[in-house]
Coordinates of all heavy atoms in Angstrom, one line a residue:
D1 N 104.2 92.9 101.6 CA 104.9 92.0 102.5 C 105.7 92.7 103.6 O 105.8 92.2 104.7 CB 105.8 91.1 101.7 CG 106.7 91.8 100.8 OD1 106.2 92.5 99.9 OD2 108.0 91.7 100.9
A2 N 106.2 93.9 103.4 CA 106.9 94.6 104.4 C 105.9 95.0 105.5 O 106.2 94.9 106.7 CB 107.6 95.8 103.9
M3 N 104.7 95.5 105.1 CA 103.7 95.9 106.1 C 103.3 94.7 107.0 O 103.2 94.7 108.2 CB 102.5 96.5 105.4 CG 101.4 97.0 106.4 SD 100.2 95.8 106.9 CE 99.3 95.7 105.3
R4 N 103.1 93.5 106.3 CA 102.7 92.3 107.0 C 103.9 91.8 107.9 O 103.6 91.3 109.0 CB 102.3 91.2 106.0 CG 100.9 91.5 105.5 CD 100.4 90.5 104.5 NE 101.0 90.5 103.2 CZ 101.7 89.5 102.7 NH1 101.8 88.4 103.3 NH2 102.3 89.6 101.5
S5 N 105.1 92.0 107.4 CA 106.3 91.6 108.2 C 106.3 92.5 109.5 O 106.6 92.0 110.6 CB 107.6 91.8 107.4 OG 107.6 91.0 106.3
F6 N 106.1 93.8 109.3 CA 106.2 94.8 110.4 C 105.1 94.4 111.5 O 105.5 94.5 112.7 CB 105.9 96.1 109.8 CG 106.1 97.3 110.7 CD1 107.4 97.6 111.1 CD2 105.1 98.0 111.2 CE1 107.6 98.7 112.0 CE2 105.3 99.1 112.1 CZ 106.6 99.4 112.5
K7 N 104.0 94.0 111.1 CA 102.9 93.7 112.0 C 103.2 92.3 112.7 O 102.9 92.1 113.9 CB 101.5 93.7 111.3 CG 101.1 95.0 110.9 CD 99.6 95.0 110.5 CE 99.2 96.4 109.9 NZ 99.5 97.5 110.8
A8 N 103.7 91.4 111.9 CA 104.0 90.0 112.5 C 105.2 89.9 113.3 O 105.3 89.1 114.2 CB 104.1 89.0 111.3
G9 N 106.2 90.8 113.1 CA 107.4 90.8 113.8 C 108.5 89.9 113.2 O 109.5 89.6 113.9
Y10 N 108.3 89.4 112.0 CA 109.3 88.6 111.3 C 109.1 88.8 109.8 O 108.0 89.2 109.4 CB 109.2 87.1 111.7 CG 107.8 86.5 111.5 CD1 107.5 85.9 110.2 CD2 106.9 86.5 112.5 CE1 106.2 85.4 110.0 CE2 105.6 85.9 112.2 CZ 105.3 85.4 111.0 OH 104.1 84.9 110.8
I11 N 110.1 88.5 109.0 CA 110.0 88.7 107.6 C 109.0 87.7 106.9 O 109.1 86.5 107.1 CB 111.4 88.5 106.9 CG1 112.4 89.6 107.4 CG2 111.3 88.6 105.4 CD1 113.8 89.5 106.9
I12 N 108.1 88.3 106.2 CA 107.2 87.6 105.3 C 107.6 88.0 103.9 O 107.6 89.2 103.5 CB 105.7 87.9 105.6 CG1 105.4 87.5 107.0 CG2 104.8 87.3 104.6 CD1 104.0 88.0 107.5
A13 N 107.9 87.0 103.0 CA 108.4 87.3 101.7 C 107.4 86.8 100.6 O 107.1 85.6 100.6 CB 109.8 86.7 101.5
D14 N 106.9 87.7 99.8 CA 106.1 87.2 98.6 C 107.1 87.0 97.5 O 108.0 87.8 97.2 CB 105.1 88.3 98.2 CG 104.0 88.5 99.2 OD1 103.8 87.5 100.0 OD2 103.4 89.6 99.3
D15 N 106.9 85.9 96.7 CA 107.8 85.6 95.7 C 107.7 86.4 94.4 O 108.6 86.8 93.8 CB 107.7 84.1 95.3 CG 108.9 83.6 94.5 OD1 110.0 83.9 94.9 OD2 108.7 83.0 93.5
A16 N 106.4 86.7 94.0 CA 106.3 87.4 92.7 C 105.0 88.3 92.8 O 104.0 88.0 92.1 CB 106.2 86.5 91.6
P17 N 105.0 89.3 93.6 CA 103.8 90.2 93.7 C 103.6 91.0 92.4 O 104.5 91.2 91.6 CB 104.1 91.1 94.8 CG 105.6 91.2 94.9 CD 106.0 89.8 94.5
N18 N 102.3 91.4 92.1 CA 102.0 92.1 90.9 C 101.5 93.5 91.3 O 100.5 93.7 91.9 CB 100.9 91.3 90.2 CG 100.5 92.0 88.8 OD1 101.4 92.7 88.2 ND2 99.3 91.9 88.4
T19 N 102.3 94.5 90.9 CA 102.0 95.9 91.1 C 102.6 96.8 90.1 O 103.6 96.5 89.5 CB 102.5 96.3 92.5 OG1 102.2 97.8 92.7 CG2 103.9 96.1 92.7
V20 N 101.9 97.9 89.8 CA 102.4 98.9 88.9 C 103.8 99.5 89.4 O 104.6 100.0 88.6 CB 101.4 100.1 88.7 CG1 101.2 100.9 90.0 CG2 101.8 101.0 87.5
A21 N 104.0 99.4 90.7 CA 105.2 99.9 91.3 C 106.3 98.9 91.2 O 106.6 98.1 92.1 CB 105.0 100.3 92.8
D22 N 106.9 98.8 90.0 CA 107.8 97.6 89.7 C 109.0 97.6 90.5 O 109.7 96.6 90.7 CB 108.1 97.6 88.2 CG 108.9 98.8 87.8 OD1 108.2 99.9 87.5 OD2 110.1 98.8 87.7
G23 N 109.4 98.7 91.1 CA 110.6 98.7 91.9 C 110.4 98.2 93.3 O 111.4 98.1 94.1
L24 N 109.2 97.9 93.7 CA 108.9 97.5 95.1 C 108.4 96.1 95.2 O 107.7 95.7 96.2 CB 107.8 98.5 95.7 CG 108.1 100.0 95.6 CD1 107.0 100.8 96.2 CD2 109.4 100.3 96.2
K25 N 108.8 95.2 94.3 CA 108.3 93.9 94.3 C 109.2 92.9 95.1 O 108.9 91.7 95.2 CB 108.3 93.3 92.9 CG 107.2 94.0 92.0 CD 107.1 93.5 90.6 CE 106.0 94.1 89.8 NZ 105.9 93.5 88.4
V26 N 110.3 93.4 95.6 CA 111.3 92.5 96.3 C 111.1 92.5 97.8 O 110.5 93.5 98.4 CB 112.7 92.9 96.0 CG1 113.0 92.6 94.5 CG2 113.0 94.4 96.3
P27 N 111.4 91.4 98.5 CA 111.2 91.3 99.9 C 112.3 91.9 100.8 O 113.4 92.1 100.3 CB 111.1 89.8 100.2 CG 112.1 89.2 99.1 CD 112.0 90.2 97.9
L28 N 112.0 92.2 102.0 CA 113.0 92.6 103.0 C 114.0 91.4 103.2 O 113.7 90.2 103.0 CB 112.3 92.9 104.4 CG 111.4 94.1 104.4 CD1 110.6 94.0 105.7 CD2 112.2 95.4 104.3
K29 N 115.2 91.8 103.6 CA 116.2 90.8 104.0 C 116.7 91.1 105.4 O 116.3 92.1 106.0 CB 117.4 90.8 103.0 CG 117.0 90.4 101.6 CD 116.9 88.9 101.5 CE 116.7 88.5 100.0 NZ 116.5 87.0 99.9
E30 N 117.6 90.3 106.0 CA 117.9 90.4 107.4 C 118.5 91.8 107.7 O 118.2 92.3 108.8 CB 118.8 89.3 107.8 CG 120.1 89.2 107.1 CD 120.1 88.3 105.9 OE1 119.0 87.9 105.4 OE2 121.2 88.1 105.3
L31 N 119.3 92.4 106.9 CA 120.0 93.6 107.2 C 119.0 94.8 107.2 O 118.9 95.6 108.1 CB 121.1 93.9 106.3 CG 122.1 95.0 106.6 CD1 122.6 95.0 108.0 CD2 123.2 95.1 105.6
T32 N 118.1 94.8 106.2 CA 117.1 95.9 106.1 C 116.0 95.7 107.2 O 115.5 96.7 107.7 CB 116.5 96.0 104.7 OG1 116.0 94.7 104.3 CG2 117.5 96.5 103.7
W33 N 115.7 94.4 107.5 CA 114.7 94.2 108.5 C 115.2 94.7 109.9 O 114.4 95.2 110.6 CB 114.5 92.7 108.6 CG 113.6 92.2 109.7 CD1 113.9 91.3 110.7 CD2 112.3 92.6 110.0 NE1 112.9 91.1 111.5 CE2 111.9 91.9 111.1 CE3 111.4 93.5 109.4 CZ2 110.6 92.0 111.7 CZ3 110.1 93.6 110.0 CH2 109.7 92.9 111.1
H34 N 116.5 94.6 110.1 CA 117.0 95.1 111.4 C 116.7 96.6 111.5 O 116.2 97.0 112.6 CB 118.6 95.0 111.4 CG 119.3 95.8 112.4 ND1 119.4 95.5 113.7 CD2 119.9 97.0 112.2 CE1 120.0 96.5 114.3 NE2 120.4 97.4 113.5
F35 N 116.9 97.4 110.5 CA 116.6 98.8 110.6 C 115.1 99.1 110.6 O 114.6 99.9 111.4 CB 117.2 99.6 109.4 CG 118.7 99.7 109.5 CD1 119.5 98.9 108.8 CD2 119.2 100.7 110.3 CE1 120.9 99.0 108.9 CE2 120.6 100.9 110.5 CZ 121.4 100.0 109.7
V36 N 114.3 98.4 109.8 CA 112.8 98.6 109.8 C 112.2 98.3 111.1 O 111.4 99.1 111.7 CB 112.2 97.7 108.7 CG1 110.7 97.7 108.8 CG2 112.6 98.2 107.3
R37 N 112.5 97.1 111.7 CA 111.8 96.8 112.9 C 112.3 97.6 114.1 O 111.5 97.8 115.1 CB 112.0 95.3 113.2 CG 113.5 94.9 113.6 CD 113.5 93.3 113.8 NE 114.9 92.9 114.0 CZ 115.5 92.9 115.1 NH1 114.9 93.2 116.2 NH2 116.8 92.4 115.2
N38 N 113.5 98.2 114.0 CA 114.0 99.0 115.2 C 113.7 100.5 115.1 O 113.6 101.2 116.1 CB 115.5 98.8 115.3 CG 115.9 97.5 115.9 OD1 115.4 97.2 117.1 ND2 116.7 96.7 115.3
H39 N 113.4 101.0 113.9 CA 113.3 102.4 113.7 C 112.1 103.0 113.0 O 111.8 104.2 113.1 CB 114.6 103.0 113.0 CG 115.8 102.7 113.8 ND1 116.2 103.3 115.0 CD2 116.9 101.9 113.5 CE1 117.3 102.8 115.4 NE2 117.8 102.0 114.5
V40 N 111.4 102.1 112.3 CA 110.2 102.6 111.5 C 109.0 102.8 112.4 O 108.7 101.9 113.2 CB 109.9 101.7 110.3 CG1 108.6 102.0 109.7 CG2 111.0 101.8 109.3
T41 N 108.3 103.9 112.2 CA 107.1 104.2 113.0 C 105.9 103.4 112.5 O 105.2 102.8 113.3 CB 106.8 105.7 113.0 OG1 107.8 106.4 113.6 CG2 105.5 106.0 113.8
D42 N 105.7 103.3 111.2 CA 104.6 102.5 110.6 C 104.9 102.4 109.2 O 105.6 103.1 108.5 CB 103.3 103.3 110.9 CG 102.1 102.3 110.8 OD1 102.3 101.1 110.6 OD2 101.0 102.7 111.0
I43 N 104.2 101.3 108.6 CA 104.3 101.1 107.2 C 102.8 101.2 106.6 O 101.9 100.5 107.1 CB 104.8 99.7 106.8 CG1 106.3 99.6 107.3 CG2 104.8 99.4 105.3 CD1 107.0 98.3 107.0
L44 N 102.6 102.1 105.7 CA 101.3 102.4 105.1 C 101.2 101.9 103.7 O 102.2 101.8 103.0 CB 101.1 103.9 105.2 CG 101.3 104.6 106.5 CD1 101.3 106.1 106.4 CD2 100.4 104.1 107.6

């Protein structure tokens, strides 16, 4: 969802994604989105 948010230009939040990376299941919020959209080069 962070990669899709980065490409779309606004926050896209998945409610309950399923991944082995259990620490990465939560969505961006307005404060972290501020930093991501202004300073991140890319999300892979």
Side-chain angles (χ1 to χ4, degrees):
D1 51 300
M3 185 271 287
R4 287 182 284 121
S5 301
F6 190 71
K7 292 191 183 312
Y10 57 88
I11 294 176
I12 297 170
D14 290 339
D15 195 48
N18 181 30
T19 173
V20 69
D22 63 277
L24 305 181
K25 294 182 178 183
V26 291
L28 296 166
K29 295 285 189 180
E30 59 272 9
L31 189 52
T32 53
W33 173 238
H34 162 79
F35 285 101
V36 168
R37 68 184 173 87
N38 283 303
H39 299 293
V40 167
T41 299
D42 203 359
I43 299 179
L44 308 172

